[in-house]
Amino acid sequence: MRGLRHLSLASVAMVWGRVPCRLNSRGGRPPAPLGARILTNSEDIFQHNMWDHVKWSEEEKEKARQKADDNSSLRIPLEEQGKYDVDACKYWDSFYEMHQDKFFKDRKWLFLEFPELLPLGPESSATEERQCGLRATCPEPGVSGRDTEMGKQRQHAPSHQHIDPLTSDCQQSCNQDGRDTAEAARQTSSFPGEHATFRILEVGCGAGNSVYPIVSSIKGTGAFLYCCDFSPRAVQLVKDHPNYDQSVCHAFVQDVCDEVGYFPFPPLSLDVILLVFVLSSIHPKRVQGVVTRLSQFLKPGGIFLFRDYGRYDLSQLRFKKGRCLSENFYSRGDGTCVYFFTKDEVHHLFSNAGLEEIQNLEDRRLQVNRGKKVVMHRVWMQSKFKKPQPLAPPS
């Protein structure tokens, strides 16, 4: 495996073309998306831990395809796949019981990736048309034994088409909690965050590593954050955090694969939906339904912010035979699942839900272990899709 990921130094580091900067008043944005640390001299490869905008050689692409074909040639038997649905909530809760909120660092880089998370201010409508946000170089998790960012996968259970996802006690509890929250809102003709001028939903919040950077940034702005997770234990960790503030945040348990799920806010009420390393944990046959249902809660002009695993990322190529569930969809040793997207798949996923593409990028990087002199390919997808304004009636 290590031999596959070592690079020919002569083949690394070609610069992508630049794209225009954001044209709004935020200022300070870099001149290129997805980082600006470009390797132009192969002798400098071990000077930093990460290099941006890396182009693969045809040889490297072919090796990656061969490795993925090889590790998916032996699949988990169909009759054994059901446990990854029925016991999904137990897998998530076991993870959070073991690690609590100590496993991941807070994502303080979110606003460089996604400045749309901040309201534009009183002089502008929160859902006005936005151009693609640009980012500075930000730290991404390393790979040690298992990909540390894969923990975001533990914030939504995998769901398979041939299994009833509501069969386990944990999942039934999840759905009941959501119904109770929604019913309480209906009985009072109100809902959490009803007076906010800007509303965000994070799907798959886990222990709150995106929640608290957002909460600390939106206080006093009139914004409100909703955050949900499949795991009741994860949501309780969010609520037990000393910075949890019900005046700006509402955490709730929700399985977004539930086709009759209840949410504590009405349709057409959200400005932003944040999906960071969560859709990849859902069975690929279910993902389209999830995005389509969530889009109903966006206001016209509202935006999806998406970041997830890309095809042939190091973490895909590290899987051993016998862990594959279906094409490019795998189960880890702890029972959590992960899918690896392509740029075209992401485009069709959101476009089929009636959304307009603002940004859809393949983030290819070199992750460097300078101590061991090992170089690894990482691939992530980063995308932004907007809900269009309704057509004006003919005059």
Side-chain angles (χ1 to χ4, degrees):
M1 184 65 230
R2 180 170 293 179
L4 171 67
R5 308 313 297 165
H6 274 85
L7 297 177
S8 167
L9 296 186
S11 70
V12 296
M14 297 298 294
V15 182
W16 280 5
R18 292 189 170 191
V19 302
C21 294
R22 262 177 92 84
L23 299 180
N24 64 24
S25 60
R26 297 183 196 279
R29 300 296 164 204
L34 303 174
R37 180 172 287 162
I38 309 301
L39 180 62
T40 56
N41 185 345
S42 62
E43 295 181 358
D44 295 334
I45 192 167
F46 295 111
Q47 296 300 310
H48 297 285
N49 294 328
M50 191 81 73
W51 296 96
D52 306 313
H53 305 300
V54 174
K55 182 179 290 187
W56 291 17
S57 69
E58 289 303 317
E59 179 184 3
E60 289 162 346
K61 292 178 183 178
E62 183 57 30
K63 285 183 178 180
R65 282 192 291 267
Q66 290 176 2
K67 181 61 179 176
D69 288 344
D70 181 63
N71 69 21
S72 61
S73 61
L74 179 62
R75 299 188 177 184
I76 297 173
L78 187 62
E79 61 271 17
E80 296 180 15
Q81 293 186 13
K83 66 181 181 181
Y84 300 109
D85 291 278
V86 175
D87 297 328
C89 186
K90 296 178 183 178
Y91 292 134
W92 308 141
D93 274 11
S94 294
F95 174 83
Y96 288 111
E97 182 179 18
M98 178 180 296
H99 298 287
Q100 298 292 305
D101 60 353
K102 309 300 183 185
F103 200 76
F104 308 108
K105 295 181 179 180
D106 285 350
R107 290 191 172 104
K108 297 179 180 180
W109 48 264
L110 272 175
F111 302 104
L112 296 177
E113 295 275 2
F114 299 128
E116 294 86 354
L117 285 166
L118 292 173
L120 294 176
E123 73 281 358
S124 302
S125 169
T127 54
E128 73 176 15
E129 185 170 348
R130 304 169 185 270
Q131 300 191 16
C132 83
L134 306 181
R135 60 162 289 184
T137 301
C138 67
E140 286 286 355
V143 178
S144 175
R146 54 177 162 176
D147 183 17
T148 56
E149 188 59 50
M150 82 181 186
K152 193 63 181 178
Q153 307 298 330
R154 296 177 173 81
Q155 296 157 21
H156 197 291
S159 296
H160 296 270
Q161 194 171 31
H162 62 284
I163 295 295
D164 180 359
L166 307 180
T167 53
S168 72
D169 292 340
C170 187
Q171 288 165 318
Q172 290 171 357
S173 173
C174 163
N175 296 324
Q176 186 60 48
D177 287 347
R179 293 186 182 96
D180 290 346
T181 301
E183 182 61 27
R186 285 194 294 270
Q187 289 178 357
T188 59
S189 299
S190 63
F191 61 95
E194 63 177 320
H195 300 299
T197 57
F198 187 83
R199 301 187 189 93
I200 304 164
L201 168 65
E202 184 193 8
V203 178
C205 63
N209 299 102
S210 295
V211 171
Y212 295 108
I214 295 174
V215 165
S216 64
S217 298
I218 65 174
K219 286 185 177 181
T221 67
F224 193 89
L225 172 66
Y226 306 93
C227 56
C228 66
D229 199 284
F230 182 87
S231 166
R233 193 179 299 274
V235 172
Q236 193 59 50
L237 287 171
V238 172
K239 291 182 176 181
D240 290 343
H241 193 284
N243 293 336
Y244 184 69
D245 185 347
Q246 295 187 62
S247 68
V248 293
C249 182
H250 177 71
F252 60 102
V253 179
Q254 180 64 49
D255 177 5
V256 294
C257 284
D258 183 1
E259 296 182 2
V260 292
Y262 296 86
F263 288 84
F265 41 77
L268 302 175
S269 61
L270 301 177
D271 295 276
V272 176
I273 297 178
L274 180 64
L275 301 167
V276 177
F277 294 96
V278 60
L279 291 187
S280 55
S281 65
I282 302 171
H283 193 285
K285 292 186 180 296
R286 296 291 187 94
V287 175
Q288 184 65 69
V290 170
V291 173
T292 299
R293 286 190 294 275
L294 288 173
S295 69
Q296 299 172 8
F297 294 98
L298 276 181
K299 300 175 183 177
I303 190 170
F304 275 98
L305 304 177
F306 170 83
R307 186 167 175 84
D308 221 315
Y309 289 105
R311 188 69 49 83
Y312 307 138
D313 177 64
L314 171 65
S315 57
Q316 178 178 11
L317 303 186
R318 278 187 164 180
F319 275 104
K320 298 183 183 301
K321 289 183 179 181
R323 302 309 309 171
C324 186
L325 291 160
S326 60
E327 191 172 358
N328 301 301
F329 187 52
Y330 301 81
S331 172
R332 303 186 183 92
D334 62 1
T336 62
C337 297
V338 57
Y339 183 80
F340 297 89
F341 292 95
T342 67
K343 186 175 178 180
D344 286 344
E345 287 173 343
V346 173
H347 173 80
H348 290 300
L349 176 63
F350 288 94
S351 296
N352 289 343
L355 303 162
E356 297 176 350
E357 180 180 311
I358 298 175
Q359 179 191 80
N360 189 21
L361 301 174
E362 191 173 49
D363 185 4
R364 293 183 178 270
R365 304 193 191 189
L366 293 182
Q367 186 169 324
V368 179
N369 184 322
R370 291 187 281 176
K372 296 181 178 180
K373 302 299 181 183
V374 175
V375 179
M376 300 160 283
H377 275 301
R378 303 313 312 271
V379 185
W380 295 289
M381 306 307 302
Q382 181 164 303
S383 308
K384 305 177 184 184
F385 286 83
K386 181 172 68 71
K387 189 170 187 175
Q389 297 287 348
L391 295 175
S395 55

